[in-house]
Amino acid sequence: MHNEVLTRKQPVSSPRRRRITWAPYLFIALPVLYSLALSGLPLLKGFQLSLTSAKLLNPNGGRFVGLQNYQTLLASPQTWASIGVTLLYTLLVVTSSVLLGLAAALLINQYFFGRVVVRAMLTVPWAVPTVAVALVFTWMMNGGSGILNAVTETLGLGRHEWLTDPTWALLSVTVATMWKVTPFVMLVLLAALQAVPIELVEAARVDGANPWTTFRVVTMPAILPSLRVVVLLMTIWSFRRFEIIWLLTGGGPADATNTIVVGVYRTAFSQFNLGVAAALGMLGVVMSLAVTVVYAVVERQGTER
Amino acid sequence: MRQRRLFLQSVRGVAALAMAIVAFFPFYWIVNTSMTPADELYSGGQSVWLDLSRAQYAFQILTTESPFLRWLGNSAVVATGTTILSVLLALLAAYALSRFRFAGKGLFSFIFFSSQMLPEALIIVPLYALFVSLQLLNQPAGLVLANTAFSMPVAVWILKAAIDGVPLEIEESARVDGCGPMKTLRYMVLPIIAPSIAAAAVIAFFDSWNEYLFATTFMRTKSLWLASTGLASFQGEYQTPLDVVFSGAFVFSLPAVIFFLIVQKRIVAGLTAGSVKG
């Protein structure tokens, strides 16, 4: 994959590089400055805030307190619980959505009657706005007349307070999230599957390979790059996901769904403590960065092989 | 053999259909709830079948008794602004990243990619502090600026993937005819990648349309709220009947669902290409 990119680019750009070196910078200056101003600058500002005692009502009037906010956070069991919840939520969402998305993609990649309709129906959840997702899952999962309870009761699994019982809340939030993000996984993997040369699959079949062997030896290696990307994106997006958790449970009950980003928001806008919120935010950024670095290392090993 | 294939096909069809029904159900339930009288909802008597005779009832109450249409209008204004700004900036960046080799290219790509790692909920604390200093609270323009920071990078990837696919000969011939890079981009590249620009525009528009956190934090006055904030505000208050709330949810979701279904392929191609190569 990398080779292909390089060979395509080399002859294209080296002659031009000699002629006009300023052109690319002229093109890219504005968007880069924009990104730096709107996400780089806030990041620096966030770091600065994290060293102060700033309060929401007077965000720029905090006193410098050094690393005190970080010390407070690291000493608090709530922070560690929240890191745990973030990791568990990420693990559950990534595993379930990738497995389910892969299954759906493999299914849709085959021909059957009504495939176009099925594919469209499977794609819909991805497009539904988060606020609407939260409304309908709150309604379906409510402990009284929610339809989920009607289903689980019929199946003999009993009735539950899905979103207000600490035992179930994180799982319920995971299910709602999974519902929304799985179509994206499916679409990405479907695109990869459709690029697998059909001759290879046919050849394997002619050689007498059973479907499972064909999948393992032919299909899987071909879709592996896409699979890696989709796992990375799902992981990063799970780390940073705020809206659906906030709207379904607000981080409760009893902090059962209090991920780091939800914690940041609560600390800032319910406890009005901008300094501590910014420090917690910085911990979150460091965690996201760590994931990307791990990914970059894994990716490099993958391409070297 | 033929029979066996037919059998396998139907098994697949049934499995896929079952999956599709489960996946589609919550969206169907939004529609269903919006068409069920509120007292039936609260008493647990919601039927799984649609009562189409009540299709418009809740929506009429929604539009007459809440500022929902006004909120939808606000959403459209902010989303339009975000789309124009995102696509314009992204076109410049995508062209540079696709067609030139230059020092710092990797760094610039990383700057765009890193916006995917920065949680909005973390950025919002310092951004709030900045917006207070710049008096951008309650300003639709402020919201456009904030949203663009997150939707532009996605547009960059979609457009870069599209420009990568434009044959170079076309540009070479333009250059021979004496066109500068800007003119080449405008007259030669743009018309060819128009479908991808449309896809990038759709995703930027609905990113902003669906966005809740920035909208709720920065727009404090109720008449300036966007539809996402307004809709979420119905949750947990008991003045607005549930069927009315869900008719709002349906009207709010429908445009997003339709447009995403149309452009999904290009969005997927752009997002993954950006992460693989970026």
Side-chain angles (χ1 to χ4, degrees):
Chain A
M1 173 148 267
H2 282 227
N3 283 339
E4 179 203 280
V5 172
L6 283 180
T7 45
R8 192 162 46 75
K9 272 185 191 156
Q10 215 96 39
V12 173
S13 25
S14 21
R16 199 173 317 149
R17 188 158 69 157
R18 267 175 277 130
R19 256 184 287 158
I20 25 172
T21 41
W22 45 265
Y25 297 103
L26 223 61
F27 275 102
I28 211 161
L30 210 54
V32 163
L33 286 177
Y34 189 92
S35 270
L36 288 178
L38 266 296
S39 43
L41 200 60
L43 194 63
L44 286 180
K45 175 85 184 162
F47 181 63
Q48 182 247 324
L49 276 175
S50 76
L51 304 175
T52 71
S53 63
K55 297 282 179 275
L56 187 70
L57 286 177
N58 185 8
N60 298 308
R63 186 170 47 81
F64 181 80
V65 296
L67 292 174
Q68 195 188 312
N69 290 332
Y70 290 93
Q71 281 164 351
T72 316
L73 280 175
L74 292 179
S76 145
Q78 205 192 12
T79 311
W80 295 101
S82 153
I83 290 176
V85 169
T86 309
L87 292 177
L88 185 58
Y89 171 76
T90 302
L91 183 74
L92 288 173
V93 169
V94 174
T95 331
S96 60
S97 65
V98 168
L99 287 180
L100 207 59
L102 179 61
L106 286 170
L107 210 54
I108 298 284
N109 194 36
Q110 311 275 344
Y111 177 81
F112 57 84
F113 180 73
R115 183 167 74 158
V116 180
V117 177
V118 164
R119 185 191 160 133
M121 283 169 82
L122 285 171
T123 311
V124 164
W126 178 47
V128 177
T130 308
V131 176
V133 175
L135 278 171
V136 74
F137 273 87
T138 307
W139 176 235
M140 292 194 303
M141 288 173 160
N142 84 67
S145 52
I147 188 152
L148 182 60
N149 268 338
V151 173
T152 52
E153 197 171 26
T154 318
L155 293 175
L157 299 169
R159 303 172 67 87
H160 301 280
E161 294 281 343
W162 298 104
L163 290 166
T164 47
D165 178 345
T167 323
W168 295 104
L170 188 63
L171 199 66
S172 305
V173 170
T174 302
V175 168
T177 313
M178 182 187 81
W179 179 76
K180 173 141 174 72
V181 301
T182 301
F184 178 77
V185 179
M186 178 191 84
L187 290 172
V188 172
L189 295 181
L190 187 60
L193 282 173
Q194 284 169 347
V196 177
I198 191 85
E199 299 80 31
L200 277 181
V201 180
E202 293 292 334
R205 194 171 300 151
V206 169
D207 286 350
N210 62 35
W212 168 240
T213 315
T214 315
F215 173 75
R216 212 165 36 91
V217 180
V218 180
T219 316
M220 198 58 192
I223 64 169
L224 201 59
S226 297
L227 198 62
R228 266 207 296 264
V229 167
V230 92
V231 168
L232 172 75
L233 284 177
M234 282 297 128
T235 311
I236 291 176
W237 289 346
S238 299
F239 262 179
R240 59 179 273 193
R241 190 166 293 116
F242 169 80
E243 295 183 348
I244 199 164
I245 306 174
W246 177 252
L247 290 166
L248 282 172
T249 61
D255 287 352
T257 57
N258 192 34
T259 60
I260 294 178
V261 284
V262 172
V264 172
Y265 194 77
R266 287 166 105 185
T267 313
F269 294 94
S270 319
Q271 298 164 18
F272 313 118
N273 208 334
L274 279 195
V276 176
L280 187 57
M282 287 297 137
L283 290 182
V285 171
V286 170
M287 280 176 67
S288 304
L289 262 177
V291 173
T292 315
V293 169
V294 167
Y295 171 80
V297 170
V298 172
E299 165 102 329
R300 180 152 301 164
Q301 283 174 348
T303 45
E304 269 168 10
R305 223 179 281 135
Chain B
M1 192 66 193
R2 209 190 123 98
Q3 265 185 344
R4 183 162 177 256
R5 216 170 72 192
L6 211 65
F7 172 74
L8 270 180
Q9 257 202 42
S10 23
V11 169
R12 267 184 221 125
V14 169
L17 191 67
M19 219 166 170
I21 288 173
V22 173
F24 190 71
F25 185 79
F27 186 66
Y28 169 78
W29 210 234
I30 293 176
V31 180
N32 184 301
T33 310
S34 78
M35 293 182 191
T36 308
D39 51 336
E40 278 178 35
L41 292 175
Y42 295 122
S43 67
Q46 185 171 7
S47 160
V48 288
W49 307 111
L50 283 187
D51 177 8
L52 286 172
S53 66
R54 276 185 103 266
Q56 289 160 10
Y57 173 78
F59 184 66
Q60 273 161 5
I61 295 183
L62 178 78
T63 50
T64 49
E65 289 181 14
S66 83
F68 195 72
L69 284 184
R70 189 195 169 98
W71 292 336
L72 280 181
N74 295 342
S75 287
V77 168
V78 172
T80 307
T82 306
T83 307
I84 294 172
L85 192 57
S86 301
V87 171
L88 282 181
L89 288 171
L91 263 177
L92 296 175
Y95 190 68
L97 290 176
S98 172
R99 288 304 199 224
F100 298 96
R101 257 170 92 92
F102 52 101
K105 186 171 166 176
L107 176 70
F108 296 146
S109 303
F110 177 76
I111 289 174
F112 293 132
F113 181 71
S114 60
S115 81
Q116 291 291 305
M117 290 186 307
L118 285 185
E120 290 99 324
L122 311 186
I123 281 297
I124 196 147
V125 172
L127 209 55
Y128 182 84
L130 281 177
F131 274 30
V132 168
S133 331
L134 299 171
Q135 301 199 320
L136 280 171
L137 290 187
N138 268 331
Q139 299 285 342
L143 202 49
V144 167
L145 289 176
N147 284 342
T148 300
F150 286 90
S151 51
M152 178 187 70
V154 177
V156 170
W157 291 339
I158 295 176
L159 296 178
K160 179 180 177 294
I163 298 174
D164 282 346
V166 176
L168 272 161
E169 293 73 30
I170 292 177
E171 285 188 55
E172 299 293 344
S173 68
R175 196 159 298 114
V176 170
D177 290 346
C179 285
M182 200 45 130
K183 266 194 169 165
T184 313
L185 171 62
R186 188 161 155 207
Y187 293 108
M188 290 305 186
V189 180
L190 279 198
I192 301 178
I193 61 165
S196 294
I197 294 180
V202 165
I203 199 169
F205 187 93
F206 286 105
D207 259 5
S208 167
W209 178 267
N210 297 354
E211 204 280 332
Y212 166 78
L213 176 60
F214 287 167
T216 306
T217 312
F218 294 144
M219 306 306 256
R220 316 296 290 186
T221 312
K222 196 170 177 179
S223 63
L224 292 172
W225 279 2
L226 304 199
S228 56
T229 309
L231 203 52
S233 77
F234 290 143
Q235 190 164 23
E237 55 115 294
Y238 294 96
Q239 289 162 350
T240 318
L242 216 50
D243 55 335
V244 176
V245 174
F246 276 87
S247 81
F250 175 64
V251 173
F252 183 56
S253 309
L254 194 61
V257 169
I258 292 172
F259 277 97
F260 267 70
L261 284 182
I262 297 174
V263 298
Q264 39 151 315
K265 269 192 184 163
R266 277 170 212 279
I267 296 176
V268 168
L271 277 177
T272 47
S275 330
V276 174
K277 295 171 199 160

